[in-house]
Amino acid sequence: MTELRLTGDIGTQRFPIVEFDISRLVSWLDENLPGFGRIQVGRINAGHSNLTYRVSREGHDRAWILRRPPQGELLPTSHDVLREYRVLRILGEGAHRVRVPRVVAACEDPGVIGVPFYLMEEVPGIVVRDRMPSWLGSPGQADWLAGEVIDALAEVHTAPCEALIAARLGRPHGYLGRQLDRWRAQWHGRSRLTGDPAAAPRDLADFHVVADWLARNIPEEQPPAVVHGDYKLDNLVVSRDADGAPRVAAVLDWEMATTGDPRADLGYLLALWPQPGEPTPVPNLVPECDVLPDRAVLAERWQEATGRRADALPWFITLALWKLATVLEMSYTRWISGTADDGFFAEMETTVPRLLARARATCGA
């Protein structure tokens, strides 16, 4: 017997997004998971990108996470979960420590649930989003967490990147220019997400002003490293060790991972790092917190851990805000066209212009 149930608070979901034959999925899971007990699949209402489900089986104390793309029209290169699976497998099998979940299996056959998907082991812990848990609320615990966040990032940036390049998951040069080209193309391709090619998405002047500034001021690239592409607090699983100290148990959401200048990850983290008295750039994605250490402390620790210079940070923070605004604008476009069910995206009507204004203020364009 198999059950499919929705888990968590679905919030402002507007239509059932689970539109696949559960019996076909269960047959596939039976062949690819250990044991013979009843399988249960539940939608996890967390995260705002690919859709995730928790898979469990009677008789097993370990669960798995299934990741698949969202429904509806998608732009080229976005939500490529099979690429993410390949990245995780390479990093997980490497001799250098990178805190990634262990991947179990991938399915390329659209006949199972209509889209590709993959399975990874669930990692126990919490994900920090709109608020800091009470056990992380003291300055001492917050400092320890910040150190763990940087140490986990440094492990990514000091991992050998040759395997990703050999697998054509990254290139040795030109990352920053490609980032500008990619996110400009994604912005201009949003009309494909509306379901009506004649419908023009909104245009925001700050997007173009910031894009032009970034293009005019590209810094000299550092030697390539593994780059996560979306490194921030809510993509980390945080747990407690035997002494109660926080530790980063796993880094999640590798769909934008590649090879390139690692300062892009540092800038992304710092752009969304909570600071006392500073407004939260994205509600429900970044916690309001006044006990975390200053961004300069994180940058210095990253330099020490990687042996690299944390320079040109205003450029990389600007890139991060502009890139995130683009990603969220695509989700907002899917929301207003009716192909996304996450109520968080409705807030992007005002959040995206605010992010772009912040990016423009950061660079002074």
Side-chain angles (χ1 to χ4, degrees), residues 221-284:
E221 287 196 16
Q222 291 188 359
V226 177
V227 173
H228 179 274
D230 194 16
Y231 195 87
K232 58 187 188 297
L233 266 178
D234 83 323
N235 278 334
L236 307 176
V237 177
V238 179
S239 62
R240 285 190 274 190
D241 64 20
D243 297 323
R247 65 179 301 272
V248 172
V251 181
L252 306 177
D253 289 6
W254 291 80
E255 66 180 274
M256 291 191 281
T258 185
T259 59
D261 193 318
R263 292 173 296 177
D265 278 344
L266 180 62
Y268 201 86
L269 173 66
L270 298 182
L272 299 175
W273 189 255
Q275 298 283 264
E278 190 173 277
T280 301
V282 186
N284 300 319

Side-chain angles (χ1 to χ4, degrees), residues 36-290:
F36 303 95
R38 183 178 64 175
I39 294 174
Q40 189 174 75
V41 182
R43 168 87 180 271
I44 300 174
N45 189 42
H48 305 292
S49 180
N50 292 315
L51 304 182
T52 56
Y53 303 81
R54 187 177 189 269
V55 178
S56 59
R57 187 162 212 166
E58 284 187 350
H60 286 262
D61 57 3
R62 174 163 291 177
W64 302 269
I65 301 299
L66 184 154
R67 277 173 65 81
R68 55 151 288 177
Q71 73 174 24
E73 183 75 23
L74 301 175
L75 295 180
T77 75
S78 65
H79 303 286
D80 188 345
V81 296
L82 294 181
R83 184 184 184 280
E84 182 177 29
Y85 169 82
R86 293 170 61 206
V87 169
L88 286 170
R89 188 177 62 185
I90 289 173
L91 295 178
E93 294 175 353
H96 182 95
R97 184 194 186 206
V98 179
R99 307 183 203 189
V100 296
R102 192 178 77 86
V103 291
V104 176
C107 179
E108 301 183 37
D109 181 5
V112 179
I113 65 170
V115 292
F117 63 92
Y118 76 89
L119 283 173
M120 61 184 174
E121 291 183 350
E122 183 181 54
V123 178
I126 65 165
V127 174
V128 178
R129 285 198 169 88
D130 56 339
R131 62 180 61 88
M132 294 286 282
S134 59
W135 58 275
L136 285 173
S138 72
Q141 292 289 75
D143 287 349
W144 194 282
L145 172 63
E148 275 283 292
V149 169
I150 289 297
D151 289 350
L153 181 59
E155 289 164 8
V156 173
H157 293 162
T158 54
C161 64
E162 290 79 10
L164 291 183
I165 294 174
R168 305 186 71 177
L169 295 168
R171 303 182 197 176
H173 308 291
Y175 171 73
L176 299 181
R178 288 195 303 276
Q179 282 288 287
L180 300 187
D181 291 343
R182 176 184 181 183
W183 297 112
R184 271 177 159 159
Q186 297 278 306
W187 182 272
H188 293 299
R190 287 169 298 142
S191 59
R192 293 181 54 182
L193 302 176
T194 64
D196 179 4
R202 65 177 178 173
D203 203 11
L204 300 171
D206 281 348
F207 173 87
H208 305 287
V209 173
V210 174
D212 291 344
W213 182 88
L214 288 167
R216 291 194 308 269
N217 294 278
I218 296 180
E220 181 180 354
E221 287 196 16
Q222 291 188 359
V226 177
V227 173
H228 179 274
D230 194 16
Y231 195 87
K232 58 187 188 297
L233 266 178
D234 83 323
N235 278 334
L236 307 176
V237 177
V238 179
S239 62
R240 285 190 274 190
D241 64 20
D243 297 323
R247 65 179 301 272
V248 172
V251 181
L252 306 177
D253 289 6
W254 291 80
E255 66 180 274
M256 291 191 281
T258 185
T259 59
D261 193 318
R263 292 173 296 177
D265 278 344
L266 180 62
Y268 201 86
L269 173 66
L270 298 182
L272 299 175
W273 189 255
Q275 298 283 264
E278 190 173 277
T280 301
V282 186
N284 300 319
L285 193 65
V286 179
E288 293 187 1
C289 181
D290 59 2

